[in-house]
Amino acid sequence: MRQDIVAGAKFPDYVLPDHTKTPRRLSDLQGDQLMIVMLTRGFFCPKDRQQMLELVRFHSQLVVGYTQLVTITTDDWHTTNNYRQQTSAPWPFLYDEERLVQKDLDIKEYTDTTHDVMIPHTIVLGRDLEVFKVYNGYYYWGRPSTAELHAELRELAQRTYRDWDITEPELREKWKKGDNPTSTPMAGIPSPWTHSCSRWPARSTNMPVGQREAERRKPASLAAVFSRSRFLSSRAW
């Protein structure tokens, strides 16, 4: 891995086609949420498939925890699509047949003389693609368990969300003064109370940015909550 890809650095904002052949930019997929990027050897690797299955079981927690997940592989489109379908993964898979990510990050697995693949990595990102933790998965035990990801995301979320502890007197006062989700956010700080159960995840990646911001500030009816929940559980990214 490149020496500059460390905690606090910005991860490259790659643009690659997804499993529907649609070009996707990482920052657009992330929105203003946290993010996990899985760099995989590909369909043929049993270690990668096992990790993928663990993430599939973990994914529902990522959804309610406002965390995006994306997989990048060097497989072709057909193999990438099969990989995603056969593991029942509901998140975007990006394919990189030109090995742009492999070359840019200097993670060619030179010990594999049959497949021109990447050394597997799992990268936890804060907002704006800021690197929080990098796991080298050349050996399976180098990869994070879902318990480790939970702990990393808890720490990262606590650093990210100003309203992590809404019992703080300052936040109580702001609420009393009307600084609520319908108010203008504080300068440089996301408005508090934007992550309660009465609101959607911060951004939907299928909306234009302006529309996403407008939707994020609208209260949701109970009927809409159930409707949106069914949509999220069935959507085919």
Side-chain angles (χ1 to χ4, degrees), residues 11 15 19 22-23 37 53 55 57 64 76 85 113 124-125 133 141 147 153 166 172 194 208 225-226 232 237:
F11 193 72
V15 179
H19 54 278
T22 304
V37 177
L53 293 174
L55 288 172
R57 286 187 279 270
V64 297
D76 59 27
Q85 291 177 347
T113 58
V124 180
L125 302 174
K133 188 68 176 286
W141 296 124
L153 290 168
I166 61 170
R172 289 182 188 272
T194 57
V225 169
F226 285 117
L232 285 174
W237 293 90

Side-chain angles (χ1 to χ4, degrees), residues 16 26 37-40 70-74 94 96 101 118:
L16 296 166
L26 282 184
V37 177
M38 180 185 176
L39 306 178
T40 174
V70 63
T71 294
I72 300 178
T73 176
T74 52
L94 311 184
D96 181 19
V101 175
M118 299 183 284

Side-chain angles (χ1 to χ4, degrees), residues 13-182:
D13 194 8
Y14 297 116
V15 179
L16 296 166
D18 68 6
H19 54 278
T20 67
K21 298 185 178 181
T22 304
R24 307 298 288 270
R25 183 180 295 276
L26 282 184
S27 58
D28 290 338
L29 291 172
Q30 181 183 33
D32 62 2
Q33 299 187 3
L34 309 181
M35 190 178 216
I36 298 172
V37 177
M38 180 185 176
L39 306 178
T40 174
R41 287 187 178 106
F43 181 81
F44 76 95
C45 180
K47 300 180 183 68
D48 287 22
R49 290 176 68 87
Q50 181 60 46
Q51 183 184 14
M52 199 72 66
L53 293 174
E54 296 298 322
L55 288 172
V56 167
R57 286 187 279 270
F58 187 52
H59 185 254
S60 61
Q61 296 185 58
L62 297 177
V63 172
V64 297
Y66 313 112
T67 302
Q68 296 291 335
L69 177 58
V70 63
T71 294
I72 300 178
T73 176
T74 52
D75 289 328
D76 59 27
W77 169 79
H78 186 265
T79 306
T80 297
N81 215 25
N82 283 343
Y83 191 10
R84 181 176 180 271
Q85 291 177 347
Q86 292 181 22
T87 55
S88 299
W91 60 85
F93 276 44
L94 311 184
Y95 63 99
D96 181 19
E97 292 184 87
E98 301 299 322
R99 274 63 175 173
L100 300 175
V101 175
Q102 180 209 67
K103 296 170 185 175
D104 184 51
L105 296 180
D106 192 21
I107 53 173
K108 177 182 174 67
E109 189 169 322
Y110 60 86
T111 56
D112 184 341
T113 58
T114 303
H115 310 92
D116 184 11
V117 296
M118 299 183 284
I119 300 169
H121 283 77
T122 305
I123 301 124
V124 180
L125 302 174
R127 284 176 169 167
D128 299 319
L129 302 179
E130 182 179 344
V131 177
F132 182 73
K133 188 68 176 286
V134 178
Y135 291 91
N136 183 327
Y138 181 70
Y139 284 95
Y140 185 78
W141 296 124
R143 305 165 193 233
S145 67
T146 55
E148 288 174 310
L149 287 175
H150 192 140
E152 300 284 1
L153 290 168
R154 178 193 293 122
E155 181 180 349
L156 183 54
Q158 190 170 5
R159 294 185 187 185
T160 301
Y161 303 134
R162 177 66 187 86
D163 57 335
W164 181 262
D165 181 3
I166 61 170
T167 66
E168 291 183 11
E170 179 187 356
L171 292 179
R172 289 182 188 272
E173 286 303 312
K174 289 183 181 298
W175 178 266
K176 290 177 182 178
K177 293 176 180 178
D179 185 6
N180 53 46
T182 61

